Amino acid sequence: MINLSQYEAWFVTGSQHLYGPDTLNRVAENAQKIAAALDHSKAIPVGVAFKPVCTTPDAIYRLCQEANASERCIGLITWMHTFSPAKMWINGLKVLQKPMLHLHTQFNRDIPWSEIDMDFMNLNQSAHGGREFGFINTRMDINRKVVVGHWQDEKVQERAGTWTRVAAAWRDMQGMKVARLGDNMREVAVTEGNKVSAQIQFGFSVNGYGLGDLTKVVDEVVDVEIDRLVKEYQDSYELSKTLRPGGEQHASLREAARIEIGLRTFLESGGFTAFTDTFENLHGLAQLPGIAVQRLMADGYGFGAEGDWKTAALVRCMKVMGAGLPGGNSFMEDYTYHFYPGNHQVLGSHMLEICPSIASGKPSCEIHPLGIGGKADPVRLVFNSAGGPALNAALIDLGNRFRLLVNTVEAVEPEQALPKLPVARVLWKPQPDLQTAAAAWIHAGGAHHTCYSQSLRPEFMEDFSEIANIEYVLIDENTSIHRLRQELRWNSVYYRI
């Protein structure tokens, strides 16, 4: 469902005619070599396409317009090989609607000590050419990522690769359709928000559908389709005894399969890549979608429970960013705390809907009472999640702006078995510690729903915030409550000016 190779970043080099045709030919040759190296880099999942060297205002303007119109182009990687007078870039940058990475590099890695002359100096002017380009971007208040270092350095390519993943996710978000099945959970504040403002800011649309729109499709599912999916369940998961063919609850498994097929068909036919539901609106469904939602998330769909469309869009976005990377991304909720002295932990889970992309080992397919919703017992996948570095991210609507809040965590293996907890779960230690992290999250107005990521680092989320032009707040090992509250107050003033 997620294919990053369909996209490309355009490699755009700046120069000028002052240096003559020989120098410009060398500039083009060197730029082609760098673009080719980035195109073949394992750290960059999209194509990198060389574009002719820009030397005039008209050429720059036309290129930016072409980038805006290109379906494949996710953004520009710009490099100033020589000095490129920045007034040439103004009209192009004024119309550019795609993200930009400024690669501040030079073709040669080392100074050729014994042979350096003025010809070499005239050709290799990135050190101050990049500063000229940086000035005009700052003067025009243009958000961009700046990566400094030699283009053959693996760390430089990794940082460029991070940006391309975020830019691809941003491209995916433009025109993303989020289906809201039922409304928001009644009386809940943080899952509400201004959907029009979100579409203006991020590009995705959110529209509501009655459960009848879904149940009509679910009711049309035929037995042969259910047979096929039940066989897939049997092959993919550890099926509990009562759900197996001949078991007393096998009919519930078939009903769960019917719901998954219907829900998948509904989403595919409508072109949706993210969706929400709520246990308060289940009319016409025999059970709350559990395994259906989990498997759809594993295939790349975004999801938010209780009508939480912001989290649904964020989960989809982070799945696109992390496509092909080790680890998964899942809808998540801080559920309960472990306040044992010296070993504070958070147990993250939800009623049903945790994505198996974060599972350690083979999930178990089980059925248990839900306790709320007033429907039949739902089928779900139960598993633990692996230990290791991870993060939680929440997208919040503060009225006058959106805030992306991120907390880095260290997931840990459960110290003991959880035989009576019938849901998927993950245990983590928030950074810098539970008291600080929870207080900081609350001060920042963080949502109780998040996207939990094993595959992404804070750099991904900061890059996204820059491209989306929204507020970014990070809670990590360096966070103190005093400094964070100052940061929040400064940010509030900034967004009110």
Side-chain angles (χ1 to χ4, degrees), residues 23 59 99 102 130 158 160 162 329 398 402 472 476:
T23 297
H102 179 184
E158 287 172 2
T162 294
N329 293 271
L398 293 176
F402 290 91
Y472 173 72
D476 63 4

Side-chain angles (χ1 to χ4, degrees), residues 385-412:
S385 185
L391 62 80
N392 273 301
L395 185 61
I396 313 155
D397 185 348
L398 293 176
N400 68 329
R401 67 190 185 278
F402 290 91
R403 170 181 289 164
L404 183 63
L405 181 59
V406 175
N407 183 201
T408 56
V409 306
E410 184 70 23
V412 296

Side-chain angles (χ1 to χ4, degrees), residues 282-350:
L282 295 177
H283 182 72
L285 291 180
Q287 55 182 265
L288 180 65
I291 190 173
V293 171
Q294 292 178 292
R295 285 170 49 83
L296 284 163
M297 269 196 288
D299 287 340
Y301 284 92
F303 173 76
E306 292 106 43
D308 190 349
W309 51 269
K310 295 188 296 297
T311 301
L314 182 63
V315 170
R316 166 64 182 185
C317 180
M318 292 172 67
K319 282 185 173 291
V320 175
M321 292 183 201
L325 294 177
N329 293 271
S330 176
F331 172 76
M332 187 59 66
E333 181 173 271
D334 290 43
Y335 224 93
T336 194
Y337 293 140
H338 183 61
F339 274 134
Y340 188 84
N343 190 28
H344 292 180
Q345 299 171 349
V346 178
L347 181 64
S349 184
H350 204 255

Side-chain angles (χ1 to χ4, degrees), residues 414-452:
E415 298 176 5
Q416 301 181 40
L418 300 162
K420 294 185 178 181
L421 184 62
V423 290
R425 58 269 178 159
V426 56
L427 200 65
W428 68 77
K429 295 183 178 182
Q431 293 180 338
D433 54 69
L434 177 54
Q435 294 100 320
T436 303
W441 193 271
I442 290 169
H443 279 299
H448 62 283
H449 289 163
T450 64
C451 180
Y452 174 84

Side-chain angles (χ1 to χ4, degrees), residues 10 62-71 73 75-76 96 98:
W10 287 8
R62 287 195 301 271
L63 181 135
C64 291
Q65 292 280 44
E66 290 168 5
N68 290 341
S70 171
E71 291 291 325
C73 177
L76 307 185
L96 182 64
K98 297 288 178 77

Side-chain angles (χ1 to χ4, degrees), residues 27 36 74 77 104 110 151 154 157 161 166 174 197 222 249-250 285 291 307 321 342 370 386 432 439-440:
V27 168
I74 58 170
I77 300 176
H104 190 54
D110 304 326
W151 52 277
E154 289 185 1
Q157 293 184 9
V166 177
Q174 309 311 299
S197 294
V222 297
Q249 294 175 301
H250 183 67
L285 291 180
I291 190 173
M321 292 183 201
L370 185 60

Side-chain angles (χ1 to χ4, degrees), residues 1-23:
M1 183 183 177
I2 299 172
N3 176 22
L4 298 184
S5 65
Q6 67 181 304
Y7 299 123
E8 63 184 18
W10 287 8
F11 191 82
V12 179
T13 308
S15 188
Q16 60 177 322
H17 285 286
L18 176 67
Y19 308 109
D22 291 341
T23 297

